């Protein structure tokens, strides 16, 4: 059901087993909001427990290696996270691109590995504040997406794009409605160019960057916004599910 809004929590490096109660609460609430697809990307250590204990929501990872196995100390492969119960993986997050030197070439290899392992991919893209101020946000993001994506047969099912302006992540700042609309429309036309009219139209484009219960309705009501990638506000069931509720209302 790729036409449902997709609300994804990125728990980043937050959460021990004590957070399982929050995942269960999200799962129970998600059963009352079936018009929305709700998912969590917890740290690797919680993928399997959430897969077992929270059956309504999707569970995914925040990264994977591009190799299937080998001498890569501290890394994890796409097939390993799939084996743990992950259904998707977030790739190319700015905290990976900036903090771990991940180029778009590396991200592309990871996308290939993830699809081969049967995972859906949420590909992140987004510009710095300096790039936006220089008026280059749209070409920068389009180039980043083009360079990060391999050929994908069933893009509508396998791929989600998350537009996350870097300066909006964890800062409390959000892009203006006009800027979000412009960027999402540009990304849509790029997807149609890359994957054809049908598959390109089926890829959901999420917005991410300080999405909160207070601004969710406004952002999720914008054209071409197919959901949200939520960091800080996904760590409690109350705030995360308020965002899911806003997504459901934007569908009504
Ligand atoms: C994120 O890191 O993907 C994110 C959107 O974080 P936050 O919601 O905290 O800005």
């Amino acid at each position: 059901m790729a036409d449902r809004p997709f609300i994804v929590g990125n728990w980043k490096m937050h959460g021990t087993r004590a957070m399982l109660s929050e995942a269960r609460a999200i799962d129970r609430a998600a059963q009352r909001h079936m018009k929305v697809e709700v998912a969590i990307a917890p740290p690797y250590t919680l993928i399997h427990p959430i897969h077992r204990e929270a059956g309504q929501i999707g569970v995914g990872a925040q990264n994977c290696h591009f190799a299937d196995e080998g001498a890569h100390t501290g890394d994890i492969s796409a097939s390993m996270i799939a084996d743990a119960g992950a259904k998707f993986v977030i790739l190319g997050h700015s905290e990976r691109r900036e903090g771990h030197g991940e180029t778009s070439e590396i991200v592309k290899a990871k996308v290939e590995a993830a699809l081969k392992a049967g995972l859906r991919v949420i590909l992140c893209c987004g510009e710095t504040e300096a790039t936006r101020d220089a008026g280059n946000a749209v070409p920068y993001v389009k180039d980043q997406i083009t360079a990060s994506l391999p050929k994908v047969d069933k893009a509508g099912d396998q791929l989600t794009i998350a537009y996350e302006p870097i300066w909006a992540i964890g800062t409390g700042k959000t892009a203006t409605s006009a800027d979000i609309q412009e960027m999402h429309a540009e990304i849509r036309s790029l997807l149609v160019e890359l994957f054809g009219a049908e598959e390109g139209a089926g890829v959901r484009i999420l917005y991410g960057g300080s999405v909160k219960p207070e601004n969710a309705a406004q952002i999720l009501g914008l054209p071409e916004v197919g959901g949200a990638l939520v960091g800080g506000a996904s760590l409690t069931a109350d705030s995360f599910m308020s965002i899911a509720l806003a997504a459901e209302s934007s569908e009504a």
Side-chain angles (χ1 to χ4, degrees):
M1 282 179 82
D3 52 344
R4 288 189 294 172
F6 194 19
I7 304 296
V8 184
N10 173 12
W11 280 8
K12 309 193 185 196
M13 200 169 70
H14 298 289
T16 59
R17 282 181 296 158
M19 280 281 282
L20 287 175
S21 57
E22 220 60 47
R24 284 191 292 267
I26 290 169
D27 192 61
R28 282 192 302 276
Q31 291 172 33
R32 298 193 296 274
H33 301 293
M34 298 293 285
K35 287 189 193 148
V36 181
E37 184 177 351
V38 177
I40 303 176
Y44 299 125
T45 48
L46 295 182
I47 290 175
H48 193 243
I50 292 178
H51 164 67
R52 287 185 60 145
E53 294 186 30
Q56 177 60 40
I57 56 173
V59 62
Q62 303 165 20
N63 178 41
C64 68
H65 198 276
F66 52 77
D68 198 43
E69 59 180 6
H72 301 288
T73 303
D75 279 313
I76 192 159
S77 72
S79 58
M80 288 168 183
I81 56 179
D83 182 58
K87 297 289 180 281
F88 69 93
V89 59
I90 297 171
L91 293 173
H93 193 284
S94 59
E95 287 158 14
R96 302 285 322 168
R97 290 182 189 263
E98 291 195 329
H100 297 265
E102 286 188 10
T103 60
S104 291
E105 194 184 3
I106 293 173
V107 174
K108 182 176 177 178
K110 291 183 175 204
V111 174
E112 275 167 352
L115 295 175
K116 194 165 148 231
L119 295 168
R120 289 158 67 199
V121 168
I122 299 178
L123 175 74
C124 298
C125 57
E127 79 285 357
T128 61
E129 195 152 30
T131 302
R132 175 153 291 278
D133 289 347
N136 294 330
V138 167
Y140 179 86
V141 166
K142 290 176 89 168
D143 285 352
Q144 200 180 39
I145 294 173
T146 307
S148 302
L149 283 180
K151 190 178 169 312
V152 181
D153 290 336
K154 299 235 174 299
D157 290 335
Q158 295 174 300
L159 203 62
T160 299
I161 303 290
Y163 168 56
E164 301 202 299
I166 296 172
W167 47 271
I169 295 178
T171 58
K173 298 183 195 170
T174 48
T176 64
S177 297
D179 288 344
I180 297 172
Q181 276 195 67
E182 181 195 27
M183 187 63 83
H184 281 230
E186 292 282 353
I187 293 173
R188 175 67 64 212
S189 63
L190 174 64
L191 291 168
V192 167
E193 221 175 274
L194 293 173
F195 301 116
E198 198 177 326
E199 291 299 330
V203 177
R204 283 175 294 192
I205 308 171
L206 314 184
Y207 175 79
S210 298
V211 176
K212 309 250 175 287
E214 304 79 57
N215 60 21
Q218 183 208 333
I219 294 170
L220 291 163
L222 295 172
E224 295 292 7
V225 175
L229 182 55
V230 184
S234 69
L235 293 172
T236 65
D238 272 0
S239 63
F240 189 48
M241 292 313 292
S242 300
I243 294 169
L245 189 63
E248 193 170 57
S249 311
S250 75
E251 284 297 282

